[in-house]
Amino acid sequence: MSNHRYETELRSEQEHVAGLYARLDGERVRARREYQAALGDNGESPLERDVRVRSLGREVRRLDVADNGLCFGRLDAVSGEHSYLGRIGLFDQENDYEPVLLDWRAPAARAFYTATGATPEGMRRRRQFLTRGRAVLDFTDEVFGRPGADERGDAALLAAVNAPRGEGMRDIVATIQAEQDEIIRLDHPGVLVIEGGPGTGKTVVALHRVAYLLYTQRERMERHGVLVVGPNPAFLHHIGRVLPSLGESDVVFMTPGDLVPGRHVTAEDGAAGAKGSLKMLDVLGKAIADRQRLPRTPVPIGLGDVSVRIDAETAEWARDEARASGLPHNEARAVFVDIVTYVLTERAIARIGRGWLTRDDRESWEDLRRNLLGQLQGDDVFTATIDELWPGLTPESVLSGLYTCPERLAAAGADPALLRTDGEAWTVSDVPLLDELVDLLGRDPAVDKAAEGAAAQERKAAADYAAGVMDVLKLDREELDEDVLLTAENLLYAEDLAGHFTERDTRELAERAAADRDWTYRHVVVDEAQELSEMDWRVIMRRCPGRSFTVVGDLAQRRNAAGARSWGGMLDRYVPGRWVYRSLTVNYRTPAEIMAVAAALLAEFSPDVQPPDSVRACGVRPWSRQVSEDELAAAVEQFTRDEDAREGTCVVIGPPDVPGAVPPSETKGLEYDAVLIVDPGKILAEGPRGASDLYVALTRATQRLGVLHRDPLPPALHALAPLTPATDAT
């Protein structure tokens, strides 16, 4: 293309994209105006208004996120028609809502990602824009079917992967590759497993799949939302902007330590392997049963003028009946109490009525029973005994009581390694156990009764207030201040009197879902899924009864002893025949020079795994340098100082005794322009988990990798270039 023609077409594209932004601005004004209007009184029911307000709120947010990179490309068909593609869709409302900008998820946009010179799919050209803000700076064309044309197709991709990393993961709507697009649009209603080595884009593909599902199945999914489970808070922060940048906000982000509302657990412990096994189900059941006790000696209870006893035989009968009811522990307490009170009142009635009362006089017998039941309810000894024999339990009390008592651990058949001093020093592996106990224990009726009483008081206060407003309206209208009258009328008309004062949950879906343990999602994404234990999977499966999942992971990076050794081993129990497997084979992040080092390590600890092929080289060899104890701090500081002078991000990864270093586990799923690993031998010394951690650390860099070591370098890292004082590491 001649320079003159290029300049002409560039100006034309700039004008067209400017027109799209003008249309976007107009849509924003309209959406905000309608949103504000919906907040007022439109004669709608409260439910109708809530639905409308939330729908318009989502539309406002969708339009607000599209400013950067609104339009990123154009697709020209052989027929002469062409379409512009962007992160959201825009329509011409004056022309039968004809699309003027295709949403990247629309079926008509697929060829932008999948057409090639060999299979052009009826397309003649793919044009990709280089933009900054609202300006189109440049474009590149790939013309299908011409010799050598395919070579230009990677221009946008290489520009993206070579660009310096900023804060947070970026969306890839402009550079989705064909193998990624196939996975994103896969029509599978069950569980999709996406496995890929470091840098293959499996996480961002999974997030774009969520955006695609929300686009194609909006009505089915938006009422319940999507849950994304990631390994740690840093990872969730890293990926947290991808879906909002695509206009999707009905998404909840959690770590495994957040899955029980009110708990935000990040600590790990050495007993994770034992806690993650399904054997813990039996342990928890026995731990609860151990709290359902029999009295060592009979307990006397005074009823009227007689004394009756709660003995082991009575308690055992009550316990057997309560267990046989199939109810959770706290709910089965009512059965236990009913049996005990029946026995006590029967014995007391027989003594009190001796000589004058028989069972044939049912009315008198039951009247006396009701009187005795009232006495029992107020008897402190009876209440304390019931609490001792069948206590109301919480998940926390069961688990902490188990962890701090060797006798209880033994009675439950638990691993003695679970013993600890502080029973409530919760770790991530405790969370699925706490969640399991919620179901095993059930709700505490006493707590529910107190909550119902408080709610009844609030409703009464609301009704009293509404009645007061009605009394105000009965006054002479001329005696009322106009604003007061208008307010009262609006309240009564819009909310049907006292109904206005019934509290409605106005929180966004994501906030409501995150706070509700019983919330169920339409779709769940599980990232770094190889780390989840059998008990973790039980928690997550409860959150999605429809079993619609995108599971992302790499078995070669597993560090949790209780994690997955095969996908079928974890999933066949829940979705037999309903899960499919897809792999990503191209590494878009790690340059070939660095991947060669990581591949040598992988070959030692996981020789059956094929590392992904890097799509590029960076031209900088990764290096190693041995330093003394006294030299280490200065060498780390020099690396940080040198990298601060460059554009991009950097990280120091190493053991706890290295100032400023982070452990490899905290960098999973993250990426940096430059990485410095300190003492890889110490990381490897952690056993199989150590090899996985070092593999993770080696594959975080997108440009530069350096290694400092005080002890001799592990043989697996022989591919590193030794660095001497005279060698330039850059």
Side-chain angles (χ1 to χ4, degrees):
M1 182 183 298
S2 67
N3 287 338
H4 175 72
R5 182 182 171 190
Y6 166 79
E7 294 294 340
T8 301
E9 292 205 25
L10 179 60
R11 284 194 297 271
S12 175
E13 300 293 21
Q14 289 170 337
E15 291 172 3
H16 186 85
V17 172
L20 293 174
Y21 274 109
R23 188 179 294 272
L24 173 68
D25 291 339
E27 287 290 292
R28 284 174 171 167
V29 171
R30 174 197 58 77
R32 288 175 180 147
R33 183 171 59 244
E34 292 182 6
Y35 177 76
Q36 292 298 324
L39 293 173
D41 178 15
N42 297 311
E44 299 172 305
S45 71
L47 178 60
E48 289 173 331
R49 188 172 68 182
D50 279 356
V51 171
R52 180 169 170 76
V53 166
R54 283 177 173 158
S55 175
L56 287 168
R58 282 193 297 270
E59 176 69 1
V60 169
R61 290 191 297 272
R62 184 184 79 92
L63 295 170
D64 280 346
V65 301
D67 223 38
N68 187 28
L70 171 65
C71 176
F72 54 77
R74 172 179 143 179
L75 192 60
D76 295 358
V78 173
S79 63
E81 297 179 350
H82 62 263
S83 304
Y84 287 86
L85 283 77
R87 61 182 57 249
I88 66 170
L90 293 176
F91 302 89
D92 186 349
Q93 298 184 24
E94 297 179 357
N95 188 20
D96 295 329
Y97 283 86
E98 281 290 317
V100 295
L101 182 66
L102 279 178
D103 190 298
W104 66 273
R105 297 166 287 191
R110 181 167 189 171
F112 185 82
Y113 302 110
T114 59
T116 66
T119 56
E121 300 187 23
M123 298 299 146
R124 185 175 64 85
R125 177 172 61 187
R126 172 169 45 227
R127 173 168 290 180
Q128 293 176 286
F129 299 141
L130 173 63
T131 63
R132 181 177 299 137
R134 295 190 167 201
V136 178
L137 304 180
D138 192 8
F139 68 80
T140 60
D141 284 345
E142 182 181 4
V143 179
F144 302 122
R146 295 185 180 180
D150 287 348
E151 295 176 3
R152 300 202 64 188
D154 288 337
L157 171 65
L158 292 176
V161 297
N162 280 310
R165 266 46 186 175
E167 182 181 357
M169 179 180 283
R170 297 167 291 191
D171 65 64
I172 58 169
V173 290
T175 57
I176 293 172
Q177 301 301 292
E179 77 167 354
Q180 297 172 330
D181 185 78
E182 178 187 355
I183 294 173
I184 290 170
R185 299 175 192 264
L186 184 65
D187 183 16
H188 179 70
V191 176
L192 168 63
V193 176
I194 306 173
E195 183 165 29
T200 54
K202 53 187 178 293
T203 295
V204 75
V205 166
L207 295 175
H208 283 67
R209 175 169 168 77
V210 169
Y212 176 76
L213 292 175
L214 286 168
Y215 177 81
T216 57
Q217 304 177 29
R218 177 77 59 189
E219 186 174 346
R220 186 182 76 86
M221 297 184 68
E222 68 179 356
R223 289 183 179 272
H224 289 259
V226 173
L227 171 65
V228 176
V229 180
N232 54 57
F235 175 84
L236 294 183
H237 177 73
H238 178 64
I239 69 171
R241 294 190 301 185
V242 173
L243 284 168
S245 76
L246 299 173
E248 304 298 347
S249 58
D250 291 338
V251 180
V252 177
F253 293 89
M254 290 185 178
T255 69
D258 301 328
L259 288 169
V260 173
R263 297 276 173 208
H264 301 285
V265 183
T266 58
E268 297 182 359
D269 67 351
K275 294 178 185 177
S277 168
L278 289 180
K279 295 177 182 178
M280 285 301 298
L281 294 175
D282 188 50
V283 170
L284 295 178
K286 289 180 178 178
I288 295 173
D290 186 51
R291 307 294 286 272
Q292 301 163 354
R293 300 174 179 171
L294 305 179
R296 295 181 179 178
T297 59
V299 180
I301 305 292
L303 279 180
D305 296 331
V306 302
S307 177
V308 292
R309 300 187 307 173
I310 302 177
D311 52 29
E313 183 181 10
T314 299
E316 185 175 20
W317 177 29
R319 185 181 67 179
D320 291 345
E321 291 293 325
R323 288 177 176 176
S325 71
L327 295 171
H329 170 87
N330 288 331
E331 296 170 31
R333 174 183 162 110
V335 178
F336 181 85
V337 172
D338 284 347
I339 298 295
V340 172
T341 55
Y342 172 79
V343 172
L344 295 183
T345 55
E346 281 288 300
R347 290 173 178 173
I349 293 170
R351 295 180 184 179
I352 294 171
R354 182 176 296 150
W356 62 271
L357 181 63
T358 67
R359 288 186 181 277
D360 292 337
D361 188 357
R362 296 300 302 170
E363 185 174 348
S364 297
W365 192 283
E366 293 305 323
D367 282 345
L368 183 53
R369 187 194 304 280
R370 281 189 288 270
N371 179 270
L372 295 176
L373 287 175
Q375 293 182 45
L376 282 176
Q377 290 176 357
D379 188 282
D380 291 340
V381 175
F382 175 78
T383 301
T385 302
I386 293 296
D387 287 342
E388 176 68 21
L389 301 181
W390 198 285
L393 298 173
T394 65
E396 292 79 5
S397 66
V398 171
L399 212 53
S400 63
L402 179 68
Y403 288 158
T404 55
C405 180
E407 293 77 16
R408 284 178 175 164
L409 284 172
D415 189 328
L418 300 186
L419 183 68
R420 66 192 191 201
T421 303
D422 185 352
E424 296 195 355
W426 305 119
T427 65
V428 173
S429 55
D430 292 325
V431 171
L433 307 183
L434 292 169
D435 188 75
E436 191 75 36
L437 284 166
V438 172
D439 285 346
L440 293 175
L441 296 176
R443 303 182 67 87
D444 188 336
V447 174
D448 288 348
K449 185 176 181 180
E452 289 174 4
Q457 290 183 346
E458 291 182 5
R459 288 194 296 271
K460 184 178 184 303
D464 291 344
Y465 188 85
V469 175
M470 292 178 67
D471 290 340
V472 169
L473 290 179
K474 293 177 183 177
L475 299 176
D476 190 336
R477 298 172 67 89
E478 294 181 358
E479 296 179 6
L480 290 174
D481 178 90
E482 182 177 355
D483 290 339
V484 173
L485 180 61
L486 181 60
T487 300
E489 288 180 336
N490 284 341
L491 289 174
L492 295 175
Y493 176 74
E495 304 299 336
D496 296 325
L497 301 178
H500 172 78
F501 304 103
T502 301
E503 183 178 356
R504 300 202 320 274
D505 195 339
T506 59
R507 295 172 297 172
E508 293 296 330
L509 180 144
E511 187 179 0
R512 288 183 286 129
D516 186 353
R517 187 258 176 186
D518 296 323
W519 188 279
T520 58
Y521 298 89
R522 281 290 184 262
H523 191 78
V524 176
V525 175
V526 184
D527 209 328
E528 299 293 343
Q530 74 278 354
E531 304 297 346
L532 267 61
S533 69
E534 293 173 321
M535 292 300 296
D536 288 325
W537 277 110
R538 285 180 62 84
V539 181
I540 293 174
M541 287 293 172
R542 287 191 196 102
R543 303 300 189 263
C544 188
R547 303 292 192 258
S548 177
F549 284 81
T550 300
V551 175
V552 182
D554 179 10
L555 295 177
Q557 296 186 54
R558 178 182 63 85
R559 64 186 306 272
N560 184 358
R565 286 172 168 78
S566 71
W567 300 118
M570 287 297 184
L571 298 175
D572 285 342
R573 180 179 291 107
Y574 303 102
V575 285
R578 286 194 59 217
W579 66 276
V580 297
Y581 175 89
R582 295 291 185 273
S583 63
L584 293 168
T585 60
V586 179
N587 188 332
Y588 300 100
R589 175 179 66 217
T590 316
E593 295 90 341
I594 296 176
M595 199 61 215
V597 178
L601 174 66
L602 182 66
E604 286 202 2
F605 81 90
S606 192
D608 296 333
V609 177
Q610 181 67 29
D613 295 325
S614 295
V615 76
R616 67 190 174 98
C618 65
V620 179
R621 287 194 65 186
W623 54 267
S624 67
R625 176 186 168 195
Q626 186 164 14
V627 294
S628 66
E629 187 73 35
D630 294 338
E631 295 171 327
L632 178 63
V636 172
E637 182 181 355
Q638 179 183 351
F639 166 83
T640 305
R641 185 171 58 250
D642 291 345
E643 291 301 329
D644 284 345
R646 292 187 170 104
E647 184 181 6
T649 59
C650 69
V651 68
V652 178
I653 303 174
D657 64 336
V658 178
V662 299
S665 59
E666 292 187 10
T667 66
K668 296 201 76 168
L670 308 183
E671 57 184 30
Y672 307 87
D673 291 275
V675 171
L676 179 67
I677 300 174
V678 180
D679 287 339
K682 290 187 177 181
I683 299 175
L684 272 177
E686 295 294 324
R689 184 176 73 176
S692 174
D693 280 351
L694 183 55
Y695 182 61
V696 168
L698 289 170
T699 54
R700 298 307 95 193
T702 66
Q703 302 291 343
R704 298 173 296 280
L705 171 68
V707 173
L708 295 175
H709 55 104
R710 287 172 282 192
D711 299 325
L713 194 67
L717 302 185
H718 65 273
L720 289 168
L723 184 68
T724 64
T727 305
D728 183 5
T730 61

